[in-house]
Amino acid sequence: MAADCEAWLNANPVEVGDLSDSFVSGEEDNGGFIISNKNINNEINGNWVASSSNSIHEARLKAKAKRRLRKNSSRDSGRGDSLSDNGDVVRGTSVAPTSPKSKLLDRKSRLGKGRGLPKKGGAGGKGVWGRSGEVYEPEAVDERDPNYDEDQEKNCVYETVVPPLDERDFEKTVTPIVQEYFEHGDTNEVAELLAELNLGPMRSVVPSLAVALALEAKASHRELTSRLLADLCGPVLSHGDLEKSFDKLLRELPDLVLDTPGAAQLVGQFIARAVSDQILSKTYIEGYKGKVDCEYARAALDRAAVLLKMSMGGLRIDSQWGTGGGQQPVTQLIKEMNLLLKEYILSGDSKEAERCLRDLEVPHFHHEFVYEAIVMVLESNGEKTFKMVLQLLKSLSVSSIITVDQMRRGYQRVYMDIAEINIDVPRAYFILEQFVDKSFSMGIIDVKLRDLCPCRGRKRYVSEGDGGVVKLESY
């Protein structure tokens, strides 16, 4: 058999170059290879024609070409070429290259392998928080964890812990709460805000801080502070906390007097009000007898003792601060304004009248003061009241205690009610015109407000040429 093969090869010599890789030209066309072989001519209608010289050589070349195409098709899946049964190269359909953005957002495998599903079932990639609809449950405790403690897991209770406030954080946190309370006056809101804080040992400092802020504030704010202490005693503060707080105030009186000269008298009033509200024991003042060396503390305790003795005679300590501002009824404000005007007419002290009006703390209600002052002028009979009220309004206008808007509203209210006032005061129109002219000349009102002053119509007979008709005319 070997002798026959050798004889056949000698009869049909094969060049070495024909067996090299140069048989396949390697030229690419649309990603595939074009095989140029001029010696492959023995295939008819897909059937091999037996040839004694080329059959073995052609079979080897075809097998080599198929292996090479199979290797390329695994890399360029879908766009490579395939080899038909007769050895011709069949060009596959070319796929248009995708844009870089589409490749970036494509979650399918780029290796040409796998089933074409998204990575990690759609839960992978940047900015992805797991599969859609997936609910995360509490992680079970691993008992094989070396840090696992069986007793701790059974008896452990998790709670939100609020750290206690130190002195620095206490003032920064509680001071805005008290200052906001001076604006709205709601003690329940203050109690809720304080309950959310872990005051700890600083709980007894809340009353002293509120009183210290009230010493520098108005009388109405001191009244609000006394109400706040009475409402906080029980839900937030204890009687012991209040006693400690007033003890602290008595010790700090020398420093408080530097900022508020009347601090000793005011602290004594706070102590008397606390005893009257039954948030301090009646023996609190007696416990200091013979034990006080500070003169300011002694003055405060003496003031509290005197007020408590006066309360036994009928004095109401709960009204010692007054009720200024929006806390006071309108009828009470009108009554106090009338008393203020009468006192000014008797004394003629405009400075005292300014101070009393400022202490009422109702700048939004000053138009009522202007109205009552003008009505008092209309109802008076002498020139004294006329001149004194003009001087007072001028002083209040210059000092800006009564604003331009409040002054205008007061005059306009008189203009609207002058018809009713004229029923009781027949000369009301005439007096009002004179008062308005004087007010304009002194700079209290402007020309526009002066021109709005109403005038009473009068009857007069016209000339005979008009037929003696009675006409109504205003001047």
Side-chain angles (χ1 to χ4, degrees), residues 390 394 435-445 450:
L390 276 175
K394 174 64 176 179
F435 188 84
V436 170
D437 290 337
K438 286 288 185 180
S439 300
F440 173 71
S441 63
M442 296 178 65
I444 300 175
I445 61 174
R450 183 200 65 177

Side-chain angles (χ1 to χ4, degrees), residues 70-89:
R70 192 180 297 113
K71 183 177 181 180
N72 293 336
S73 64
S74 63
R75 247 183 336 220
D76 302 330
S77 176
R79 59 185 186 125
D81 299 339
S82 59
L83 191 67
S84 62
D85 293 338
N86 57 5
D88 296 334
V89 177

Side-chain angles (χ1 to χ4, degrees), residues 207-208 211-212 245-253 256 267:
S208 61
V211 172
S245 181
F246 280 105
D247 292 341
K248 183 175 182 294
L249 282 172
L250 292 175
R251 292 193 303 267
E252 295 178 351
L253 268 178
L256 295 175
V267 170

